[in-house]
Structures are given as structure tokens and as C-alpha cells.
Amino acid sequence: MLRTALRNVLAHKSRLLMTALAVLLGVAFVSGTLVFGDSVAGSFRHAAAKNLKGVAASVQADGASGPGGSEGKPITVLDTGLARKISALPGVASVRPTVNGTATLAAKDGSPVNAENHWQNLATNYLPGKDGKDSRFPLAAGRGPAAEGELALDTRTAEKTGYRIGDTVRFATDGPALTKKLVGTVSTDDPRVAAGGTLTLFDTTTAQKLFLHAGQFDEITVAAKAGADERALTERVRTLLPEKGARVVSGADLAAEQSSGGSGDSGFLPKLLMVFAGIALFVGAFIIANTFTMLIAQRSREIALMRAVGASRRQVVRSVLAEAALLGLGASAVGFALGLGIAAAMRPLLNATGADLPDGPLVITSSTVVSSLAVGVLVTVLAAWLPSRKAAKIAPLEALSSVDQAPPTRALVIRNVLGALLTGAGVLVMLHASTFRVTSKEHLQIAMLGSGLTMSGMIVLAPLLSRPLITLAGKVTTRWFGVSGKLAKENALRNPRRTAATASALMIGLTLITALTVAGYSSQQAMDKQIAQGLTADYTVSNSSHSGGLEPGAADKAARVPGVAAAVPVSSTEFGTKSGHAVITGTDPKAFGKTAELDFHAGALRDIGPGKIAVSDAFAEKAGLRLGATLDVGTDTGRTEKKLTVVGIYAQTRAAQDALGTLADVFPYGTKKLDKVLVKVEPGKDAGLERKIRAALGDSPLLKVESQEQFIKEAGGAMTTALNMMYGLLSMAVVIAVLGVVNTLAMSVFERTREIGMLRAIGLDRAGIKQMVRLESVVISLFGAVLGIGTGIFLAWAGGSMMVSSMKTYEMALPWGRLGIFLVLALAIGVLAAIWPARRAADLNMLSSIQST
């Protein structure tokens, strides 16, 4: 039976080609993802280990995150005295006191560098030894910084910003722009810099002035003498530290933290890719099952003969499964090799988009090889299992007398009932999920379960749904294309299971794409409304550093810029009330109305003043407030620190969240800095105003001056990028579905060789044969598209209803243009998939085809 299986694979290699391609692509996706994930993790581990070479232990102040990265400062326990005590311990070769901070650079052309991820813009002190060089940061050119007006950059950062030695570098830590002279460039293996960050070096005194105070450090790294036990040394260092305020970690643990921190930022990608690899393999399973079902139908006489000469049902099943395993193993081996190419190409591709992943070799583990091959073989065998059981149930005499039998009525009834139950259960779960407000992971899991049940039910019901939908499409093809169109309809309806299985592969891809498109489009529309709701300012000025903010006088400076009609300061903070936490927005009430619109139910903006606030209707209802009521404002301890009188109630808006008051009522509970400044421009005076505002406020690289359009675009940029990535990944499932359509049509042409010969004999020309096959392909593709788009819209509606709790403006909106493109895409898929099968059918010899059996 094994020889029979091998012979069958070799004998039908052309018919198994598309199936092998489906397995190959799915396995390539899996293996490429696994190798890429291991390679990136290995690169970060290597970079972290190299960066911390010689570091036996690290003492860190609370809030510090290791070399080069902490925003929170001040813990004063690490000082020169502690460094001396540590250096006196047995086994200590040297200590390195370090100052860590962040510095966001302006490139030579004036544009901020990595301002969105400013926490990744590392800054630290250059600490030269007796030779005048810092062993941790080897010089690449020039010299290290030695005075207050000097700095050094790592070579990547210098290249990125366009600075050369001798240039004046502009940067900001958390406030106004500063300038210093670039005196040198260094090399670094810090994985956070390799992952897209920057590195700026100052002399120790300057670094302390910028980030701490004289004599203070937020990290001390310890180097051990040769042969010293690093773990024991770490414990000895721990005995010198106070109970609170500092911690010590070994060099090995610190390297692990740094590598996991860097790889963690890119770690989501392998997981995401693996999900889509699973989708691709799931779609491929339909092609595999379809192929083996058709092969078994075509070889029914052969199977019957095997049964007649003594082969048992179990042997027939084993033969088919062995054939599937051989096919899966061969395709998986080629797919694994292709996956290595994908993994190798993924790093430079992502780096081209700004990912800045560290270089390193491909990491190929034995578990990755085994997993990739096992996945391909297992999916192929499982997909062939049902067809193998069907082959084993063929009665020898019945098979010898008939090649292609209709499926038993009882089997179709059972399938339809099962499909109805699955679909009904999925719809009920999704309707129930639509009443949720997303507050926990369990809610999302329920929605995912409902989506899975609904899609599974539609797949099972597809044969039942195919008849009315294809009949409807057949009326169009018959009317427009005559006999060829009618034959195409009949061919598609001849075997509903086969047609449904072929269309289901395409349906899955389009269901997911449609659901993502509708949900993403609706969310984008809602986000745009929510962002712009109540906001009439032309520009929003803010600080990209979340801990920085703007100085209180920023609004006055912006107001003096020619062309500015109004500049309104805004600062928000969270405060405690008896009904829980809420956000109060402080501003200048007299000017706020020029840059924002509030719909007051009671009171007015002019009524707001010191000790007098307006609250949103949602917060008023939650806290039981009404006009004239007193709101007790306090801290987390519950102690009342201030009483504010409610003088207005307005419709909730993003411009003024839970409450609106004066800056004097907000500053005591916040950072005493502004979150933003809202700018209204005089009519016709907006030309070049952005640059003027930046200049008036110091032109710090951390400063963001955005028009309302830019503000909205930036807020929705991440969603657009995510959707585009999803489309790209789901396109793999669509490609595999196209292979399924090609495969089904090609094998169908082989099955109908005699029939096609008869059609040619009675007058249907080659063009008519090609048209018939093309129309059959188009009908099947459109059937899958209609099911996929319809199911996707339903899932997007039910799942989108869960968004209302976090996005009040959310309403489902259908992107008709994109949905139309999906239908056109399905039409194009049908036409393209039929090119080879149609040509093959038209090239059949008429007499030879009639004589075939």
C-alpha cells in the first residue's frame, strides 16, 4: 500500500501541484515566522551581552531602567560615597557611576528625531579612564566630551541626524532647546539604540546638571576581578544598599532584561504572523480536502479494483493518508527552505520602515525544523482524512459501475442541520457580544468564539447556499453569454460540495478582510469625529514628552506671534471625588470659547471662575451633581482639599472631559505645566505660522505644532498602518484561495474530458469552451465573495457594537467603494484562475476526448 501511495503521488503530480503549493506557502509562513522570531531574539541577546561585557553587577536607583534609560529621576541614594564603598569590596575590579536620562535631538535640517518615542533617545555620561577613553563607548572618531559645551553621539545617531564633528547640535531633555558642539562619535552595542533609539553622551558634570544634581548618580555598574564569583559579588553589593530606594542585579540578569526589552518591542510581530500563518494553513486545508475528494472520485474504479483483490477498508484509508503524508512532507520541506528566505528578507524590509533591528545570523533550531515539517504534514493528513474515509466506504461493484456519484441525501441533510446549528449558535453569541462594553479579556474571547462559530457554520452551509446564489448568477451568465453561460452554471451546480469547498477558501479570506475593513473604517470615522468634537482651534501645540509639558507662559508667547488671534492654555489632571476619579481641564475660560465649542445644558462658559467649574452631563449624572452643587476635590487618600461649585453643565466632549475650570484650580493637583496650547489663527494669516510659533516657543525638538488635519491624521495613523499590515498578511490566504480555484477547475476539466469532447463535436468551438470554464470560475469566485463580504459585515457590526463604551461616536459605516473593489477583485480572481484550465480544456483533442473513460 505504501508503494501504491508513492505511485499515486508520482502519477498525479500535475494534479497535486496546486495542493502542494498551498501547503508550501503555509509552511513557509510558519517557518519564516519561527526563524525570524528566534533570529531577532538572538540578535538582541548578543547585542545586550556585548554591550554589558565585563559588567558583573548593576546598582540602580528606583525608577532607573539600566544603562541609558530612565525618565523618572531623583532618588538620591546613589552618590560618590556609595561608589567608593562598592569599589572597596573584595573581588571588585572597578566601578562605573552612571547618569541616565533622555535627550531628543533635532536633525541638521531642524526636524525632531524619534520624538514620538523620546524615551528611547538615551543620554548618559562619558566616563574616560586613565587613557582618556571610555571602554564602554569606544571612540569611532574625534574625542569624548570633556566640557559643558560638548557632546558625543553614537555613529548611527550621527548618520541619522546628518551631524559631523564640529557641528552645533540642537537637542532637548524635557524643556527648551539646548545646543552643544559635537566633538566625537562612538560605537555602542546597546540593543535599544539598535532598535531605533539614539545615544547622546555628556561629560559627567554636565549630565548631572541636566538630569540629577552634583555628586548624584542613578546607576553604578561593577566589574569583577578575574576569577571572582559574580553572583557572590552581587550579594556583597546588596549588603551596602539601603532597604528602599535602590536595587542590584547581576550582569547576566541585566543583559536578559535589556534583550527582552528590545525584542519585546518586536515580539508582537512573530505572534501576529503566526496567527495569519494559521489562517493560511486553514484555507489550504480546504484545497487539500477538495483535491483528495476529486482524486478519489476519479480513481474510484482503481480503488474498487483494490477492494476486489483483497484490500481492506483500513488499507485504503492508510494508502490515501500515506499519499497525503508524502505530499505534505515534500511540500513542507520546500516550504521550510522558502521560509528561510522570508526570514532573511524580513529584517531588511522592516528596517527600511524604521524598525532598526540589530544585525545577526539566522537562528535555525531543531524545534523550528521539526515544528514546520510537522505542521505541514499534519495539516495535509488531517485534511485528507475525511476523503480517505469516503474512499474506504466505496462498495467495489458500485464503484465499478459509476465514476461520479451524487452525495447521499442523508449526508447532505446531516450537513445542513449541523451548519444551521453552528451558524445559529454563532449568530446568537455575536448578538449577545454586541451588548457588551469591552471591559475584560473574556468579552473579547466570547466575541472571537462567536466569530469562529459563525464562519464555521457558513462553511458547512455553503453547499446549501450555493444552489440559490449560483442559480441567480447563472441567469445573468445565460442572458449575457448564452450556452456557455448556462453550461458554466450547470457545471458549478453539479457538485455543490466541491463548489462550496472551493468558494469557502476564498470566503474565509474575504470575511476577515471585510470585517477588518468595515471595523477599521467605522473606527476611523468615529475617531476623527471624537478628536475634532468641540475643537475649533487651527493649531494644537504640545510637548511630545509625556512628562514634560509646556511652561505656563507658552500661551502668552504664542499669542504674541503675528497672525495668532488667540492662544489658549490647557492643562488637565486627574482628581479624586466621592464618586471616583475624574479628569478636570483647566484653562482661561474667557478665551476658551475662541478655540472650542461647548454645548451647555445649564450655565455658560462665562460663569466659570476661581472655585467655580462646569461639569459634563455624563459626570454630573455619575456623581449626582446639579447646578449650584459643591464638588469635594481631594487626593488619593480621600482627604478633601478643595470645594468647587458647579456653575454649568455641558454635553460631554473631548475638548473638556469631565470638568472644566481655571488653571488655578488645576495646577495644585498636576505638574504645574500645560498639556497644550490651542491656537486660533486670524483669517488669511496661516502662511508660515507653524514655524513662527515654534520659533516663539524656543523651537525645541520636543515641541509639536499640529494643524487640526495633522492632529487627526496622526491619531489615526497607527490604525491605518495596522490595517495595511493586516491586508498584506491576509493576502496570503487570498493567494492560496486562488490556487484552490485553479486546482478545482483543472481537475474538473480532467473529469469532464469526454463531456468537453462531446460539446466540441456538437458545435461548441474553442472560444466557447474557454468562456464556459472562465464563467464557471467567475461564478464560484463571486459566490465565495458574496458569502465572505456578507459574513464580514455581520461580524464587524456585532463586534463593533462593543466599541461604543470606549468610543461614544462609534457607528458602523460601510466603505462602499472598498467593498465594491472586493467584488471586482473576486471577478478578477475568477478570470485569472481560469486562464490555464480554460486553455487546457480548449486544447483537448476532440476524438481522443470522446474515447476517454
Side-chain angles (χ1 to χ4, degrees):
M1 298 304 292
L2 182 60
R3 284 200 305 272
T4 302
L6 182 59
R7 180 185 62 80
N8 284 331
V9 171
L10 296 175
H12 303 104
K13 52 182 176 292
S14 61
R15 280 178 259 173
L16 292 171
L17 177 62
M18 297 301 169
T19 302
L21 281 174
V23 178
L24 183 153
L25 290 174
V27 171
F29 219 154
V30 171
S31 63
T33 299
L34 292 174
V35 172
F36 171 72
D38 291 340
S39 300
V40 170
S43 298
F44 275 109
R45 283 195 299 270
H46 175 72
K50 192 174 180 181
N51 180 53
L52 294 172
K53 184 179 180 180
V55 176
S58 171
V59 180
Q60 299 174 1
D62 284 350
S65 58
S70 171
E71 285 191 31
K73 297 277 115 201
I75 308 188
T76 58
V77 294
L78 304 188
D79 53 22
T80 306
L82 179 61
R84 291 198 189 99
K85 291 179 182 179
I86 294 174
S87 64
L89 289 173
V92 174
S94 63
V95 296
R96 178 192 176 89
T98 304
V99 180
N100 294 322
T102 59
T104 300
L105 302 168
K108 202 167 184 179
D109 62 3
S111 60
V113 178
N114 200 35
E116 293 76 14
N117 299 318
H118 66 94
W119 50 267
Q120 208 173 0
N121 298 330
L122 313 180
T124 187
N125 59 317
Y126 185 83
L127 193 65
K130 294 180 180 179
D131 59 354
K133 298 179 181 179
D134 189 335
S135 59
R136 184 173 165 199
F137 300 111
L139 283 170
R143 61 178 177 82
E148 186 174 358
E150 300 176 345
L151 58 75
L153 301 174
D154 75 281
T155 52
R156 287 176 186 251
T157 302
E159 182 179 349
K160 187 186 303 183
T161 56
Y163 288 117
R164 295 183 178 181
I165 293 176
D167 288 342
T168 298
V169 178
R170 196 160 53 85
F171 68 96
T173 55
D174 64 354
L178 303 171
T179 57
K180 294 185 186 298
K181 182 180 178 181
L182 178 63
V183 297
T185 58
V186 303
S187 301
T188 181
D189 294 300
D190 194 309
R192 291 163 296 182
V193 178
T198 63
L199 174 64
T200 306
L201 300 173
F202 307 96
D203 68 279
T204 300
T205 302
T206 301
Q208 288 174 334
K209 287 180 179 179
L210 288 172
F211 305 116
L212 293 171
H213 298 285
Q216 292 182 358
F217 306 95
D218 47 20
E219 181 184 18
I220 300 174
T221 55
V222 183
K225 293 180 179 178
D229 186 333
E230 292 187 1
R231 294 289 180 183
L233 180 59
T234 301
E235 291 304 316
R236 286 196 291 273
V237 171
R238 184 173 283 113
T239 61
L240 297 178
L241 302 182
E243 293 183 3
K244 295 181 180 181
R247 66 168 187 146
V248 59
V249 293
S250 68
D253 291 341
L254 187 60
E257 286 181 16
Q258 284 197 4
S259 63
S260 63
S263 59
D265 295 335
S266 57
F268 79 97
L269 187 58
K271 295 177 182 177
L272 182 66
L273 291 173
M274 195 58 71
V275 170
F276 286 92
I279 293 172
L281 286 169
F282 183 64
V283 172
F286 285 90
I287 300 175
I288 299 166
N290 220 15
T291 300
F292 277 95
T293 298
M294 296 176 74
L295 280 176
I296 286 165
Q298 293 169 14
R299 286 164 27 201
S300 56
R301 287 180 180 273
E302 176 188 325
I303 294 171
L305 183 59
M306 291 171 58
R307 291 292 311 280
V309 298
S312 66
R313 290 187 174 184
R314 182 174 296 179
Q315 285 178 309
V316 172
V317 170
R318 288 177 179 173
S319 174
V320 175
L321 294 182
E323 185 178 341
L326 289 171
L327 174 68
L329 184 61
S332 299
V334 179
F336 179 80
L338 179 61
L340 296 182
I342 292 174
M346 203 172 292
R347 193 195 310 256
L349 181 64
L350 291 172
N351 283 343
T353 63
D356 288 320
L357 299 174
D359 295 329
L362 290 180
V363 177
I364 306 172
T365 64
S366 57
S367 62
T368 296
V369 177
V370 172
S371 299
S372 300
L373 296 179
V375 164
V377 173
L378 186 62
V379 168
T380 310
V381 170
L382 288 177
W385 181 68
L386 285 177
S388 72
R389 287 178 57 83
K390 181 180 178 181
K393 292 178 181 179
I394 296 177
L397 293 178
E398 183 180 10
L400 288 171
S401 62
S402 175
V403 174
D404 192 9
Q405 304 176 61
T409 303
R410 180 173 176 273
L412 288 175
V413 171
I414 294 174
R415 177 174 181 143
N416 293 338
V417 171
L418 177 61
L421 291 174
L422 284 173
T423 305
V427 170
L428 288 175
V429 172
M430 289 306 294
L431 290 176
H432 177 58
S434 69
T435 64
F436 290 158
R437 298 294 179 264
V438 182
T439 56
S440 65
K441 186 178 179 180
E442 287 72 19
H443 288 168
L444 293 176
Q445 290 174 340
I446 292 173
M448 291 174 64
L449 172 64
S451 300
L453 287 173
T454 303
M455 288 180 61
S456 300
M458 293 301 293
I459 291 169
V460 176
L461 276 180
L464 178 65
L465 298 173
S466 66
R467 185 164 295 279
L469 292 177
I470 290 179
T471 299
L472 181 62
K475 291 182 179 180
V476 177
T477 59
T478 301
R479 183 179 182 86
W480 287 3
F481 301 99
V483 175
S484 296
K486 185 173 183 179
L487 288 172
K489 180 198 74 173
E490 295 299 329
N491 289 335
L493 289 175
R494 181 177 301 181
N495 192 325
R497 283 185 172 182
R498 180 187 306 166
T499 298
T502 305
S504 294
L506 184 60
M507 184 202 84
I508 295 168
L510 283 178
T511 295
L512 296 173
I513 289 176
T514 301
L516 282 172
T517 300
V518 174
Y521 180 78
S522 302
S523 298
Q524 188 72 65
Q525 296 290 312
M527 187 178 294
D528 290 351
K529 290 179 184 176
Q530 186 167 309
I531 292 170
Q533 189 179 42
L535 192 63
T536 60
D538 296 306
Y539 287 97
T540 300
V541 184
S542 61
N543 190 324
S544 60
S545 171
H546 297 297
S547 62
L550 300 172
E551 294 301 322
D556 293 334
K557 292 179 181 178
R560 289 194 289 268
V561 174
V564 172
V568 182
V570 176
S571 180
S572 299
T573 190
E574 190 176 78
F575 62 92
T577 69
K578 292 180 180 179
S579 57
H581 289 275
V583 176
I584 183 171
T585 300
T587 186
D588 177 359
K590 295 180 179 178
F592 190 69
K594 299 177 182 178
T595 57
E597 292 180 350
L598 295 183
D599 180 14
F600 274 86
H601 303 322
L605 192 60
R606 61 178 176 273
D607 298 327
I608 299 174
K612 300 176 181 180
I613 63 170
V615 296
S616 70
D617 49 6
F619 181 64
E621 182 179 354
K622 174 184 174 182
L625 299 174
R626 62 182 184 277
L627 215 60
T630 299
L631 181 65
D632 294 336
V633 177
T635 61
D636 291 335
T637 61
R639 185 174 55 131
T640 299
E641 294 192 356
K642 198 165 189 177
K643 293 181 179 292
L644 300 174
T645 304
V646 177
V647 296
I649 299 176
Y650 56 86
Q652 189 173 32
T653 176
R654 187 183 177 93
Q657 299 182 39
D658 296 318
L660 182 67
T662 64
L663 289 172
D665 289 327
V666 170
F667 276 166
Y669 304 96
T671 60
K672 294 182 174 59
K673 289 191 175 183
L674 302 178
D675 296 336
K676 56 191 173 185
V677 173
L678 302 178
V679 176
K680 191 69 177 177
V681 181
E682 293 178 358
K685 298 291 185 68
D686 58 346
L689 197 60
E690 178 183 347
R691 291 299 312 165
K692 295 177 182 177
I693 294 173
R694 291 189 65 90
L697 297 182
D699 203 12
S700 167
L702 292 171
L703 195 67
K704 294 170 66 176
V705 182
E706 298 173 302
S707 66
Q708 192 173 58
E709 294 77 14
Q710 291 172 326
F711 190 64
I712 293 173
K713 185 177 179 180
E714 181 185 353
M719 182 177 295
T720 301
T721 301
L723 283 175
N724 290 337
M725 181 181 290
M726 297 288 189
Y727 290 152
L729 295 173
L730 283 174
S731 64
M732 178 66 75
V734 176
V735 169
I736 293 176
V738 173
L739 294 178
V741 177
V742 175
N743 196 42
T744 299
L745 290 173
M747 297 186 73
S748 179
V749 166
F750 177 83
E751 267 185 7
R752 304 201 303 264
T753 299
R754 186 173 185 181
E755 176 186 318
I756 291 171
M758 293 293 293
L759 289 171
R760 290 290 311 282
I762 62 176
L764 192 62
D765 59 11
R766 290 178 184 271
I769 294 294
K770 286 184 179 180
Q771 191 176 72
M772 176 187 71
V773 176
R774 280 197 298 266
L775 289 174
E776 181 182 352
S777 175
V778 168
V779 166
I780 292 173
S781 297
L782 287 177
F783 169 55
V786 170
L787 284 187
I789 293 173
T791 306
I793 290 174
F794 169 73
L795 295 180
W797 168 79
S801 299
M802 302 170 67
M803 296 288 293
V804 177
S805 60
S806 58
M807 200 176 293
K808 301 294 184 184
T809 54
Y810 183 89
E811 292 180 358
M812 192 179 84
L814 293 179
W816 293 108
R818 297 182 198 178
L819 297 181
I821 290 174
F822 295 160
L823 282 174
V824 172
L825 177 65
L827 182 66
I829 286 172
V831 173
L832 294 174
I835 291 176
W836 177 55
R839 181 175 298 175
R840 181 181 178 189
D843 290 343
L844 289 174
N845 182 277
M846 185 192 310
L847 295 178
S848 299
S849 300
I850 293 173
Q851 292 172 358
S852 66
T853 57

